Amino acid sequence: QVKLQQSGAELVKPGASVKLSCKTSGYTFSTSYMSWFKQIPGQSIEWIGMIYAGDGGTGYNQKFKGKATLTVDTSSSTAYMDLSSLTTEDSAVYFCARDWGVMDAWGQGASVTVSS
Amino acid sequence: DIQMTQSPASLSASLGETVTIECLASEDIYSNLAWYQQKPGKSPQLLIYDASSLQDGVPSRFSGSESGTQYSLEINSLQSEDAATYFCQQHHDYPYTFGAGTKLELK
């Protein structure tokens, strides 16, 4: 079955960067899209951006341009998201999800806490 | 960006009852709307796509409908496992946007 396994929780200092991973299985990663989302607990969900694994083409929410960078490694069927220049406002749970316009499979989420 | 106005923010209902959650899009999204269920500490799960198509494996007590730019999720015969937060999402245009969520509590 389709599985998206995300990396673990991160505690990082302000100004640092963090790289989250999303390892997939159970479907053809190289011809699919992956989106990433941010959710502060108790709040709604924000779309950060998406990447097409076939050619690495990306599209970002303007709000997250310069903050997030999406990449893929098709040899390991893994998607990555780099978050840079972290502030306390970046503390949230981040999800990856298979994207065909709707998200039919999600990772379990990765908590990022930005604190000195 | 397309705004999705979701209501109510919360509701409480009894087992076996029927509830309706609504989302109003700020412009025509041509039925490109999905509904998700999210339980505490878990990732969202797709329930409905294209406004009214039931995702595989989702119980038939969940249904979606539309009227103009107003979209509705109906849950019939509420079960205890339906206690969750529900979100709508438009995928007509980038950036994808979500409603604020509806927290459903079972009495």
Side-chain angles (χ1 to χ4, degrees):
Chain A
Q1 74 276 32
V2 175
K3 282 189 175 181
L4 283 69
Q5 181 67 39
Q6 295 187 237
S7 46
E10 301 273 1
L11 173 61
V12 295
K13 295 190 184 305
S17 298
V18 69
K19 188 169 187 173
L20 307 181
S21 67
C22 175
K23 183 168 177 58
T24 73
S25 61
Y27 70 101
T28 305
F29 178 76
S30 60
T31 58
S32 66
Y33 292 83
M34 184 75 75
S35 270
W36 289 83
F37 299 85
K38 175 184 179 181
Q39 186 177 37
I40 295 171
Q43 297 188 21
S44 188
I45 303 166
E46 292 184 279
W47 179 73
I48 296 171
M50 51 79 79
I51 185 165
Y52 178 59
D55 62 6
T58 56
Y60 293 93
N61 186 334
Q62 185 69 30
K63 178 179 178 180
F64 293 96
K65 280 187 176 178
K67 171 63 64 179
T69 302
L70 305 182
T71 56
V72 293
D73 176 0
T74 53
S75 68
S76 63
S77 299
T78 302
Y80 297 94
M81 178 171 68
D82 270 293
L83 296 170
S84 63
S85 303
L86 291 165
T87 72
T88 55
E89 295 188 354
D90 297 315
S91 294
V93 177
Y94 293 87
F95 294 97
C96 59
R98 185 171 70 167
D99 178 359
W100 49 277
V102 296
M103 303 334 118
D104 68 337
W106 295 69
Q108 81 275 24
S111 174
V112 174
T113 303
V114 183
S115 174
S116 54
Chain B
D1 298 359
I2 297 173
Q3 305 303 313
M4 303 301 297
T5 303
Q6 187 172 344
S7 62
S10 64
L11 73 160
S12 181
S14 299
L15 293 175
E17 285 189 7
T18 295
V19 298
T20 300
I21 299 167
E22 296 184 334
C23 264
L24 179 66
S26 61
E27 60 185 82
D28 198 340
I29 58 172
Y30 300 94
S31 305
N32 292 312
L33 184 107
W35 291 97
Y36 300 88
Q37 176 192 70
Q38 186 178 33
K39 296 184 178 180
K42 301 294 186 182
S43 55
Q45 300 297 308
L46 178 65
L47 299 173
I48 301 281
Y49 62 94
D50 294 345
S52 60
S53 296
L54 193 66
Q55 173 68 355
D56 288 348
V58 174
S60 58
R61 64 178 182 275
F62 292 89
S63 63
S65 62
E66 63 180 287
S67 176
T69 58
Q70 179 95 354
Y71 294 84
S72 299
L73 172 70
E74 184 174 280
I75 313 172
N76 294 310
S77 303
L78 277 171
Q79 305 294 307
S80 57
E81 61 265 29
D82 298 335
T85 300
Y86 294 84
F87 295 96
C88 62
Q89 175 235 333
Q90 67 80 19
H91 57 96
H92 172 64
D93 197 10
Y94 293 111
Y96 296 150
T97 47
F98 289 77
T102 296
K103 186 173 183 178
L104 172 60
E105 173 195 88
L106 277 293
K107 292 179 185 173

